[in-house]
Amino acid sequence: MISEKWAVRALRVFLVVLFGVLVVFQTLSLPGGIAYHAQQNPHDANLRWPLTAIAVFLVLCVQVVLVATWQLLTLVQKDRIFTTASLKWVDLIVWAIAAAWLVFAGMLLFVGLNADDPGMPMVLFLVTVGITVLGLLMVVLRALLRQATVLRSDMEAVI
């Protein structure tokens, strides 16, 4: 079985790779792709900047989750994960997920009210439900972390 030490190291490597790829997407791929789409479809040209802002913001939400995860891994390495310091990082993850959910819910409403076929609204609905599940899972895990933190501090007080 893979040890915690190796898992943390591997996760850190992949967090760095993912963060780097997201920076490329955020600064080059998404704005360039949206600009190209606007050039090819003049009737969508007025959506270029709102879509670019939304795309960059959603990538930023993922980047916030990655940074918070990195900080939580640092607390795991220092055996301080069951302290109140970890709760602020989990809160940051929950808020980033909530922000992304608000954006996707808004897009779902906008597209759903203006769509001619159900394809895109269904995709947006699927993503919004997925983000909802992820957000609620993080809220539950935060509650478990809080309980474990209280129990650990109680045990340390006894010892």
Side-chain angles (χ1 to χ4, degrees), residues 26-77:
Q26 190 176 38
T27 57
L28 301 172
S29 298
L30 292 171
I34 293 168
Y36 178 77
H37 179 77
Q39 286 176 345
Q40 298 301 314
N41 302 294
H43 63 280
D44 289 341
N46 60 336
L47 295 176
R48 177 183 176 188
W49 294 112
L51 287 177
T52 301
I54 288 170
V56 168
F57 178 76
L58 289 172
V59 172
L60 178 65
C61 289
V62 175
Q63 289 169 328
V64 167
V65 170
L66 295 179
V67 169
T69 302
W70 184 280
Q71 294 298 327
L72 289 169
L73 288 173
T74 300
L75 292 172
V76 166
Q77 281 183 319

Side-chain angles (χ1 to χ4, degrees), residues 3-158:
S3 73
E4 176 185 308
K5 182 172 134 180
W6 286 103
V8 168
R9 285 183 183 166
L11 185 52
R12 282 186 187 269
V13 167
F14 284 103
L15 287 174
V16 169
V17 170
L18 181 56
F19 195 91
V21 169
L22 287 172
V23 168
V24 170
F25 268 82
Q26 190 176 38
T27 57
L28 301 172
S29 298
L30 292 171
I34 293 168
Y36 178 77
H37 179 77
Q39 286 176 345
Q40 298 301 314
N41 302 294
H43 63 280
D44 289 341
N46 60 336
L47 295 176
R48 177 183 176 188
W49 294 112
L51 287 177
T52 301
I54 288 170
V56 168
F57 178 76
L58 289 172
V59 172
L60 178 65
C61 289
V62 175
Q63 289 169 328
V64 167
V65 170
L66 295 179
V67 169
T69 302
W70 184 280
Q71 294 298 327
L72 289 169
L73 288 173
T74 300
L75 292 172
V76 166
Q77 281 183 319
K78 294 178 179 178
D79 195 30
R80 293 183 29 106
I81 192 66
F82 296 116
T83 63
T84 55
S86 62
L87 293 175
K88 71 178 181 179
W89 296 109
V90 176
D91 286 342
L92 188 61
I93 292 171
V94 170
W95 282 110
I97 292 171
W101 182 90
L102 282 172
V103 170
F104 269 100
M107 288 190 325
L108 175 59
L109 285 173
F110 178 78
V111 171
L113 294 173
N114 297 306
D116 294 338
D117 80 63
M120 186 55 72
M122 288 302 294
V123 169
L124 289 171
F125 179 73
L126 175 66
V127 173
T128 304
V129 169
I131 293 171
T132 303
V133 169
L134 184 62
L136 292 173
L137 178 62
M138 287 307 302
V139 169
V140 169
L141 290 174
R142 185 197 183 285
L144 291 173
L145 179 61
R146 187 181 46 74
Q147 289 175 357
T149 301
V150 168
L151 289 173
R152 182 163 183 171
S153 64
D154 288 349
M155 285 180 49
E156 287 175 352
V158 169

